[in-house]
Structures are given as C-alpha cells and as structure tokens.
Amino acid sequence: MKYGFVKVAAATPIIRVSDCKKNTDAIIAQIKEANIEGAALVNFPELCITGYTCSDLFLQQTLLKTAESSVYRIIEETKNLDIISVVGVPVAFREALYNCAAVIFKGKLLALVPKANIPNYSEFYEARHYTSGKNTDFEIEYAGRKTVLSDKVLFQNKNMSDFTLGVEICEDLWVAESPSIALAKSGATVICNPSTSDDTIGKAEYRRSLVRMQSGKLCCAYIYTDSGFGESTTDTVYSAQNIICENASLLSESERFTTGITYADIDVQKLMGERRRMSTFCYDNENVRRIYFDMPLTDTKLSRKFEQTPFVPSAKDDLSRRCKEIITMQATGLATRLAHTGIKNVVLGLSGGLDSTLALIVCVHAFDMLGIDRKNIHTVTMPCFGTTKRTKSNAEKLAEAYNVSFEEINITAAVRQHFIDIKHDESVTDITYENSQARERTKILMNLSNKYGGLVIGTGDLSELALGWATYNGDHMSMYAVNVSIPKTLVRYLTAYEAEISDGELKTVLLDVLDTPVSPELLPPDKNGEIAQKTEDVVGPYELHDFFLYYFVRFGFTPSKIYYLARHSFAGKYNNDTIKKWLVTFLKRFFSQQFKRSCLPDGPKVGSVTLSPRSDWRMPSDASVRIWLDELENQ
C-alpha cells in the first residue's frame, strides 16, 4: 500500500443454494488466494454464505444458525491474513432479519453492515423476508464476537487514512439516494458492493455504466461483486459481472458467466488528491461510526499499467477520434477569437518543425470553419545561423500544400548588426547568440501583424512551457497561442493524424516533419548540414518530462511517487539513474521558469493539464523547489 496503491479483489465463488459449508469452503479458499496475490481487500457477493435465492428458507433457524457459524469459521481461518473480507450473510437480530455484509479482518468481525433499500418489485421480493437496515445502529454479539450492526460505518486504516472503506449492498446502488453518497462525503474512498443482480438483455451495459458513474460522482473506487454459478435458476440467471472502477475509469471487469477473482490496483492517494481539488466535493461529518483496522504499509506488486504517454490514448480508434477532437477544439478557439475581433489575417512563423506545423494545421482548420481565404494565413520562414535546408524546404512545401501565403525573410544580417550594437562576439555561441535570433524573429512577426492587420499565432507547446524552453519575449510571446495546452508527445500524434487523413505532397512533407529531430535550430548545423542542436540532448526526453508533468500537475503526486511510477512504466527503456536525473531537471526547471508562465498569451484549453496563470495553474515565481528535491532524494 505504499504510495497509496491498494490491490483489491472482487471474488465470486461457485456456490450451492443453502449449502453453507460448501459455500464457506469456497469463500475461505478465495480469501487465501486473494491474500497470496497481495490483495488488501476482497469483496464477495450478496448473501454468498447461504446463496441469495434461498427464498422462504431464510426464515429457517437452521439456515440462519449455520450461516452464523460459517462467519465464525471464516474469521478463525483467516485471522492471520492481512486482508479485509466483505462477505454477504443473513443476520437475525431481535424480531428482524437483515441482509448484511460481514466485514472481517485479522480475527475480528469489524461490523455487520445491513442493506438499506429492500427491493420488492418484478422478480425481487426481499421484503417478504428482510427488514430495511436504514438508520440501524446496534451493538450485538454475532459469530462469537461483539460487534456493531450499523448502516453508517466506515473502516479506516490506522496507517493510511486515505484507505477508508464503506459498504452498500446491491439495490442500494440503484436508488436515488445511495448510502454510498453519505459514506463518501464522510470520507470513504473505497466502496464495496456485495450484489446479486440477475441478468436480462441489456442490463450488463447499464450496470457497468451505473458503477462507473457512481465512482465518478463520488470520486471513489467502487468494487462491485455479483453472484454467479450455483444460484437458483428457477426464475433468474446470474452472470457474475464483477466490476472495479476508480473515479469513472473502468479498471477491471470479469468475463460474464464465469466465476473466480477479478483484481485491480486502486490509488487512494490520487482519489483524495482529486477531492481536494474539487471545491464542490464537500465533506459532511454525519453521525457515522469509524472503525479502525491496523494494516501495515507494504509494497503493492502493481499489475496496473501506467502508459508511458499519459496524454495520448493507447487505443488507435480512440487516438484518431481524440486527435480530430483536439484539432477541432484548437481551431474553434482560434476561429472564435478571429470572429470576435473581426480580424481575417494571421501571421505565423513557419520553421518546418513540429510545433509550427501543428499551428499551421490549426490555422487552416480555423480559416476553413470561417470560410476565410487561406491566403490570409501569412507564413514566414526566417532562416539564420542554425537553419537547415531540410526544415527550410519543409516550410516552403507545407505552405504550398496548404495554399497559404509564404515569404522568406533572412535575419542573418539583422542579427549580426544586433551583435555589433550590443558588442557581442558572434563566435561565442552562448545564450545571447541563441536568443538574439529568437527575439528578432518575434519582432518581425509582430511588425508583420501590424502590416497585415492580423494576429501573431504562437507555436510553443505545453512541454516547453513546463520546462521554460522558450525565449522570454521571443517565441514565448504571441497574440494567440494555439498549442499552449498540447504536450510535445501529443503534438507528434496530432501531426501524424493530419498526415494520415492527407494525401499527395502534403502527406509526404508532414511525414518528413515528423521524422525531423526536435530543435530550435539556433546553433550552426554540423559539418554535413544536419541539425546539430537537439533539444532532448539538453533538457532530456520529452516522453519522460510529459510523464512527470502529467502526474505532478494533474494529481499533485510527490516526486518519489512519480519516480516510482516512471520506473514501473519505463523499465527496460531508461535505467533508474537516468529517470531520476531528468526528474530532478524537470523539478528545477518547472519551479525556476514559472515567471515565463505568469505572463502567457491567451490560448485554448483542450485537456485536464494546462499551465495558464488565469485558469488552471497559479504559482508564485519565487517558490522554492527545495522540499520537492529533498523528498525525492530521501527515497
């Protein structure tokens, strides 16, 4: 459970209706199996000790007493295991019968949680036997233990309070006021639902959507366990559709009409972080019992995958759809700005690199939306000391293929004159040498925008903003920055998507742009005329930095947790020392370069991670990175 990861399990045993001994054998076996697999929590179906479909047998003392003895046996035979078991059982107390979940840990019956909403419609007639457990709160003795029977109870790990469990049962999920709402508002990050939900045509899709949305609404993990083989099929069939979701994401689902155990790794730290970000998630300290359990923080062997490119969908169909959507959002943002201002011209520095290519793609789509002549897109290439024939040629070909205006302004003489003015030795290829070129280009773009009555379109991307890899008052500045929330790894996929839907010369040149090394081209080419200055040689691989950025900004993870996840995701590609080296670089640059982000031009937000000082990221430029570096170093 280190770093907030908790392995959980949804277990459906093969049962026999009313055969408590057989069912208990199967339950104990699955608890032990889940424990061996490293699960900290296992959830079983509703009334699985007896079977859900016992009907009037639930009124038989023999069945109820045997069920209680079965709970005792489960407690005794799992008392040395560090795993919480949530097991469905009928419980008789005083004059009532309750449909309960027994919550068991290390030889203790932590509580009996009764079902609050008792269905009595269609194929369900539970009210014939069961009493609603709503607002119950009794201290009772059951299965040889003193415990509580309560529908308002939370189970919290003493060693990690973010792991707090609540329980609701089957129908409780399907009603308007689910008990899980109050449980989550009182602090539950994990909800277990022991269920017996019969199958009818189309119900599986609805059930899945219901679990996903409940986990999303409550910003929690939701473990839904369904009954399966062995329940009576007199009138109904059960498919054992076990579902584990986390904040609306489906982590794991069993194959229907099978039995066994479904696992998933949930991240309770992430869930708590999400709740803290949401000003609308209000904690409500209702009158709930908190029962504490002492589970040690051990390493969780992760089976969960963390994609190397978290900004990019892994499925090709999703990727194509997402790329189309993102480009449309970027183009709509620009089109709206143009329509609002009445401006019908834009000016764009076209280098032949990835970022400026994507900016041109966005401009073309925006102009097509508005029905404006593409010739009003004024692209400019401004070669200087580091420009290669390849990028310059690609800039020309792109402009021609898209049928936009194009001009070349060589800035070499102007930059040399500037060196003379500031008394800089041209042979010293330092930061002054580089940034003088970037600022000269921006000056030209700004002045051309006055000439054409247009907006200067920014080309810089989100990854460059995170690292401060931009020249202040150079390429850092524009009048509308269309790529401002697009990370470098996604820029590549968006450009590739445009190439995929294009043909002829346009497709050819876009593919060559994709094959060109990322570079600001501010230093002279090598002796073969190829790009010598490669960005990733200096700041590190963008795929690592985008990974760091996503988990640092989106979830507020600690550097040590980000390092842990990166080692897990990039194993075999980068060694641990390399990952740590570039993570330190990321942290230092992210903090030191905030002043550039504090004065960003407008640009469209398209994803959950942006660094706009007006909306998503507010940070003082003077903040110290020290405690983040210390936290990483101490691991």
Side-chain angles (χ1 to χ4, degrees), residues 539-561:
V539 296
Y542 273 118
E543 62 180 348
L544 281 178
H545 287 306
D546 284 357
F547 187 92
F548 302 153
L549 172 66
Y550 181 79
Y551 289 106
F552 184 80
V553 172
R554 177 66 182 83
F555 299 113
F557 285 172
T558 62
S560 61
K561 183 168 181 175

Side-chain angles (χ1 to χ4, degrees), residues 215-220 247 270-283 554:
S215 75
K217 284 174 58 180
L218 302 184
C219 196
C220 71
N247 197 16
K270 183 174 79 170
L271 292 168
M272 287 300 292
E274 287 287 86
R275 289 180 177 183
R276 293 184 188 112
R277 293 167 62 91
M278 298 164 58
S279 60
T280 54
F281 192 96
C282 300
Y283 283 97
R554 177 66 182 83

